[in-house]
Amino acid sequence: MKHEPYTYAKESDFLKDLSRLKGGLPFLDDRAVLNSTFEIDGKIIRNRLLAQPIEGGDALESGAPSGRTIRRYCDLAAGGSGVIWMESISVNQEGKSVPRQMWLRRETAEEFSKMVTKIHETKKDTIVVAQLTHSGRNSNPDGKKLAVCAFENPCLPQDNFRIVKDEELDMLREDYISAAILAQQAGFDAVDIRACHGYLLNELFAAYKRGGKYGGSFENRTRLLRDIIRGVKAKTDLTVAVRLNVTDGLPYPFGWGCEKKDVWVQDMTEPLKLVQELEHLGVSVINVSAGIGACTPYMIRPFDRGNNLPDEHPLEGVERLLQSAKKIKETVPSVCVVASGLTWLRDFAPAVAAGGIAEGWFDLAGFGRQWIADPAYANEILQGIPLKKKCTTCGGCMGILKKGQPMRCVNNRGGQGCEI
C-alpha cells in the first residue's frame, strides 16, 4: 500500500483499508473495555488509556520541572488518562537531548516531588511513570551536539560524535540506579528504563561489532539494560517498566530487529528473547515502540506529511506496532503490554484500542501526539464522544522542539503548550 494521508470520512472506508493489511488490526465499536480497570503490582489503573512520553523542552536550566511543565501534566491528569508516562528525564548532564530537558538529581528532587504531588492532587489515582534516559547519540546538553555513541554507525549523522567507553557505561549504570532511588522518594509510581528510538541503551542492542563486555553477543549487547534493572529492583520498590524498540529499521549490523539480508523484514527473535529475560528480572510493563528518529521516524509515529515519508501506508506502520505488541503479549502474558501508534487513526483509534484490549493483543492503549492536541482526549474517548481536537500528524510539535522551542500543538488552540 502506498503512502496516503488520512482521508476516511466513513467507517466502511476505513474497514476496507484494514482488510488490505497483511496481518490486520483489531476493531471493536463497543469501547466499554477502555473504562475497565487493570492492576499492576498491586496498583489499580482506573482505565486503559495511557499518555505516552512526549518531550516538552520546557524544564528549568537546573533540570527541575518548570511551572509550564507542571501545568502540562496536571492538565493531562484532569483530562482522564489512567497512566501518565512522563517525558524523558535525564540521569546526568551529558545525556540531556536539549538544554531544557528534565534532569533528576539531588538538587532537583524536591521540585520533582512537588510536581508528582500536584499531579496526584489533580487526579489522585493517576499512575505516574518516570522515564529515565541517556540520550546517547542524540545528546545536546548545552545547545551543541555531543553525540555519545555505542559504535560508529554510517546510517546516522556523524557530526561531533565519540564512542563511549566501557568504564563510562559502568558509571552510567549507577546514574540510572541513583535516579530511580530519587524517583521513588519523589513519589513516582513506576520507573521506565528507556531503551528505544536510538537512545544509548537501545543503540547498544545493535553493537554487534563493538568489543568489550557491552558488544558482540546478545548477552553483552543487552547487559547494561539488565544490570540497571537488577540495581533498580534491589534498591527500590518501584514498578519497573521498559519502553522498548522491537525494530530499528536499520540494516545489519547497524540496527536490531530486522533480518540480516533484508532491512524491510522485521525479525522479532532477539526482541522476544529480551522481553523473556526482562520478565525474569521482574519488569512489569513493556511499552512497545520502534524506529530511529533520525532516519525511520515513521516507525515511531506514523504521520501524514513531513520529512522522510515512507514507501508504506501509515496504516501499515500502525499495524507493525500493534502486531509487535501482540507478539510480545503472547510471549510474556504476565507482563503488562502497552501499544503505541494509535494517534494516526483519529476517530477510529478508540475502536482499534478497544479491539486490541478485548482480543488480548495488549493491555493499555498509548496516545502521544493526540494528548498534545487535546489533553482531555481520554475523558472524551471514555464518554463515547468524538474527539474535540484531533492531532493531524503534521509533525509541527516535533519541529518546534527541534528548533529549541518548548513543544506545543501548532494547529489546535488550547492544546498542550499553547498560550490560552
Side-chain angles (χ1 to χ4, degrees):
M1 296 170 64
K2 68 177 182 178
H3 186 279
E4 292 181 357
Y6 183 99
T7 57
Y8 303 111
K10 297 184 295 184
E11 183 177 300
S12 59
D13 294 333
F14 180 73
L15 293 176
K16 181 180 179 181
D17 269 2
L18 285 193
S19 69
R20 299 169 60 195
L21 297 173
K22 293 179 180 179
L25 290 172
F27 192 90
L28 180 64
D29 279 319
D30 183 356
R31 60 181 77 177
V33 69
L34 300 178
N35 265 304
S36 64
T37 60
F38 189 78
E39 183 176 343
I40 303 176
D41 295 343
K43 304 176 183 72
I44 303 299
I45 301 173
R46 66 175 181 270
N47 60 54
R48 301 300 187 97
L49 300 180
L50 178 147
Q52 295 278 31
I54 299 285
E55 197 79 32
D58 56 10
L60 301 177
E61 290 185 2
S62 66
S66 68
R68 187 181 189 274
T69 309
I70 296 169
R71 286 194 300 273
R72 286 195 289 112
Y73 285 113
C74 287
D75 286 348
L76 191 51
S81 296
V83 179
I84 294 177
W85 201 294
M86 196 164 284
E87 67 197 74
S88 291
I89 300 170
S90 189
V91 299
N92 59 29
Q93 168 67 13
E94 176 193 69
K96 292 166 67 176
S97 62
V98 293
R100 295 187 65 184
Q101 184 179 34
M102 289 195 286
W103 174 16
L104 180 54
R105 53 191 175 126
R106 286 192 300 273
E107 292 83 354
T108 61
E110 183 177 352
E111 297 307 311
F112 275 92
S113 179
K114 291 177 181 178
M115 175 177 64
V116 176
T117 297
K118 288 183 179 180
I119 293 170
H120 285 148
E121 287 175 350
T122 301
K123 195 73 172 178
K124 65 178 181 180
D125 54 352
T126 302
I127 302 297
V128 186
V129 183
Q131 182 179 72
L132 303 183
T133 192
H134 184 293
S135 298
R137 187 176 292 273
N138 300 292
S139 293
N140 185 21
D142 300 308
K144 183 179 179 181
K145 186 74 172 178
L146 181 65
V148 181
C149 306
F151 57 92
E152 188 171 352
N153 191 334
C155 301
L156 297 172
Q158 301 293 302
D159 52 316
N160 198 29
F161 80 97
R162 69 177 182 84
I163 307 302
V164 66
K165 299 177 181 178
D166 282 4
E167 295 77 13
E168 295 176 89
L169 295 176
D170 292 341
M171 296 172 61
L172 181 59
R173 176 189 61 224
E174 300 308 312
D175 289 340
Y176 272 93
I177 295 169
S178 296
I181 293 170
L182 292 173
Q184 177 168 286
Q185 294 171 359
F188 283 96
D189 301 288
V191 63
D192 164 29
I193 311 302
R194 185 186 189 188
C196 60
H197 306 160
Y199 289 73
L200 187 55
L201 293 182
N202 174 203
E203 188 177 43
L204 280 167
F205 296 162
Y208 302 98
K209 304 300 183 182
R210 180 186 172 103
K213 66 179 182 180
Y214 293 111
S217 68
F218 171 85
E219 179 183 4
N220 285 354
R221 289 181 282 115
T222 61
R223 183 189 303 276
L224 184 56
L225 174 62
R226 291 183 289 107
D227 285 352
I228 291 169
I229 290 168
R230 288 191 186 95
V232 172
K233 294 291 291 185
K235 296 293 182 67
T236 78
D237 298 319
L238 287 167
T239 289
V240 177
V242 175
R243 190 159 201 221
L244 180 70
N245 251 33
V246 292
T247 181
D248 298 336
L250 300 180
Y252 179 85
F254 306 113
W256 99 316
C258 294
E259 285 193 0
K260 290 183 178 181
K261 294 182 179 180
D262 189 347
V263 69
W264 298 109
V265 178
Q266 187 175 357
D267 183 352
M268 291 282 284
T269 304
E270 286 198 337
L272 293 179
K273 181 179 179 180
L274 177 57
V275 298
Q276 289 176 308
E277 296 202 4
L278 296 181
E279 178 189 37
H280 180 72
L281 290 171
V283 170
S284 301
V285 188
I286 300 292
N287 190 334
V288 181
S289 195
I292 307 295
C295 53
T296 53
Y298 57 89
M299 286 187 167
I300 305 173
R301 52 181 77 86
F303 52 84
D304 279 353
R305 55 190 185 274
N307 297 325
N308 294 321
L309 283 177
D311 188 22
E312 69 174 16
H313 196 286
L315 269 177
E316 294 176 297
V318 178
E319 178 189 31
R320 179 190 300 110
L321 288 166
L322 268 61
Q323 286 281 353
S324 296
K326 180 184 179 184
K327 291 177 182 176
I328 288 177
K329 188 63 183 177
E330 291 170 347
T331 302
V332 286
S334 68
V335 174
C336 173
V337 174
V338 182
S340 301
L342 292 161
T343 288
W344 186 86
L345 301 173
R346 275 83 152 181
D347 292 318
F348 303 107
V352 172
I357 292 169
E359 295 180 26
W361 286 37
F362 46 86
D363 303 295
L364 301 176
F367 289 81
R369 292 161 296 170
Q370 177 54 44
W371 72 256
I372 305 302
D374 180 8
Y377 80 96
N379 283 337
E380 293 157 11
I381 289 175
L382 296 172
Q383 292 166 15
I385 62 177
L387 293 169
K388 294 179 179 179
K389 301 168 185 174
K390 302 183 189 73
C391 172
T392 62
T393 68
C394 68
C397 55
M398 298 295 103
I400 285 176
L401 185 64
K402 290 177 181 178
K403 293 178 181 178
Q405 302 173 23
M407 175 274 301
R408 63 180 175 85
C409 179
V410 300
N411 290 322
N412 293 299
R413 185 170 178 80
Q416 280 287 323
C418 288
E419 299 297 331
I420 304 174

